[in-house]
Amino acid sequence: MFRYCTILFFMLVGALGLSQEMEKDSIQDYYVRFEGDSILHSSIALDEVYLFGKLEFADRKEKLRYYILRRKTLKVYPYAKLAAERLAEMNDSLTKIKKRRHRKKYTKTVQKYVEGEFSSELKKLTRTEGQILIKLIYRQTGNTAFNLVKELRNGWRAFWYNTTAKAFKISIKEEFHPERIHEDYLIEDILQRAFAADKLQRQKSVLDYDYAQLSNKWKKESKQKD
C-alpha cells in the first residue's frame, strides 16, 4: 500500500543540529541556517516521499511480465529524459532567435546532433523497448514523437516516420496514460521505485497525475477483480 510520508520538522532539525532558538513575544520560534547561507529559515521545503509496499502478483506469469517491463523501462528511460532536455534547450534558444531562416538553420543543426546522439543506440532497441520509449517521450514532453518530428522536420517526414514504425508495429503517435492504461501505470510504478532507489535520475513528468492516487485506484480495481 502506498501513502505519503510526512517528515516532522523538529525531527529533522534535531538530527542535523542546525536549529537556532530565538525569543519573540515570549514564544519560542525555531529557525534553521544552512551552511554557507546567512538567511534564517523557519521551514524546510521537502520533496514528496513515497512508502512502497511489497510487490504482489497474481501468478508467476504476471510477475515475469512486470520484471521484463522493468528491465526494458530502465533501459530506455535515459533516452526519453535526454530527449526532453534537448527539446527544452532548443525551445529556450529559439525564443532568442528572431529571424526565421536562422531559427530553421538552428533547428536543423539540433536535429542532426540529436540524431547522431541517439541513432546508433536506438537501432539496438527491440520493438517493445521502442514502444516504451515513445510513451516515455510523451511522459517527459507532453507531446507525441510524431508531433515532435512534425515540428522539427515537416508533416511529410512525420508521416513516413510513422509508416515505417508501423511496419515494426510501433506507433510514434502513442501517448502515456497511467490513469487509464494498466501497463502505463506499471511503467510509472517502475520509474518511481527506481527514482527512490537512485537507480534513475528523476525528471518530473509534465503530465498532470498523482502517483499515490493512481496506486490506490489500480489496487482497488485489482481487489474488485479478485
Side-chain angles (χ1 to χ4, degrees):
M1 182 177 183
F2 304 97
R3 63 185 178 83
Y4 285 112
C5 176
T6 303
I7 304 176
L8 296 179
F9 171 73
F10 71 86
M11 292 177 63
L12 180 62
V13 174
L16 296 178
L18 297 174
S19 63
Q20 178 175 335
E21 186 175 318
M22 299 184 69
E23 293 291 335
K24 182 179 179 181
D25 295 331
S26 74
I27 299 178
Q28 292 181 339
D29 292 333
Y30 292 88
Y31 294 85
V32 173
R33 178 189 294 135
F34 295 99
E35 185 177 354
D37 189 354
S38 60
I39 300 176
L40 296 178
H41 301 270
S42 60
S43 62
I44 299 176
L46 299 175
D47 293 331
E48 290 178 340
V49 177
Y50 298 110
L51 290 183
F52 299 94
K54 183 179 179 181
L55 290 170
E56 298 179 0
F57 305 98
D59 50 40
R60 185 176 181 278
K61 183 178 179 181
E62 186 179 280
K63 180 178 180 180
L64 182 62
R65 176 196 171 208
Y66 180 88
Y67 282 106
I68 290 175
L69 185 63
R70 184 174 73 173
R71 175 175 57 80
K72 294 177 182 294
T73 299
L74 297 182
K75 179 179 179 180
V76 303
Y77 171 79
Y79 298 122
K81 179 177 178 294
L82 182 61
E85 291 170 350
R86 294 292 181 266
L87 182 64
E89 291 170 4
M90 186 188 73
N91 288 337
D92 182 60
S93 296
L94 285 176
T95 60
K96 303 170 185 176
I97 302 175
K98 303 304 180 183
K99 291 187 178 181
R100 183 177 178 180
R101 62 187 181 89
H102 290 166
R103 290 166 60 89
K104 189 174 181 180
K105 182 179 180 180
Y106 174 75
T107 301
K108 284 185 177 180
T109 300
V110 172
Q111 173 261 314
K112 288 181 180 180
Y113 172 70
V114 171
E115 280 190 1
E117 203 171 21
F118 277 88
S119 58
S120 60
E121 292 299 320
L122 295 185
K123 289 177 182 177
K124 301 175 185 177
L125 298 182
T126 65
R127 182 188 68 80
T128 52
E129 289 168 349
Q131 194 64 79
I132 293 171
L133 174 59
I134 296 299
K135 288 188 174 189
L136 290 180
I137 286 176
Y138 187 86
R139 179 189 187 274
Q140 301 310 121
T141 67
N143 215 337
T144 64
F146 179 86
N147 285 336
L148 290 177
V149 172
K150 188 175 180 180
E151 290 175 6
L152 294 176
R153 293 283 191 93
N154 53 59
W156 183 245
R157 171 71 74 167
F159 169 79
W160 283 110
Y161 266 62
N162 194 50
T163 302
T164 304
K166 278 184 179 178
F168 296 95
K169 297 182 180 180
I170 296 176
S171 171
I172 64 172
K173 294 181 179 180
E174 195 77 19
E175 298 182 358
F176 184 71
H177 294 287
E179 74 283 358
R180 55 184 174 84
I181 300 175
H182 188 244
E183 183 175 275
D184 289 1
Y185 163 69
L186 292 179
I187 291 173
E188 184 64 30
D189 178 74
I190 290 165
L191 290 178
Q192 292 298 334
R193 290 174 184 268
F195 295 152
D198 291 326
K199 291 181 179 179
L200 291 177
Q201 185 177 359
R202 184 185 297 273
Q203 185 185 65
K204 187 175 175 61
S205 171
V206 301
L207 305 180
D208 184 21
Y209 56 80
D210 184 277
Y211 171 65
Q213 291 180 3
L214 291 177
S215 299
N216 291 333
K217 171 187 181 298
W218 287 108
K219 184 174 182 179
K220 183 178 180 181
E221 290 192 12
S222 178
K223 286 183 176 179
Q224 289 175 348
K225 289 180 181 180
D226 296 338

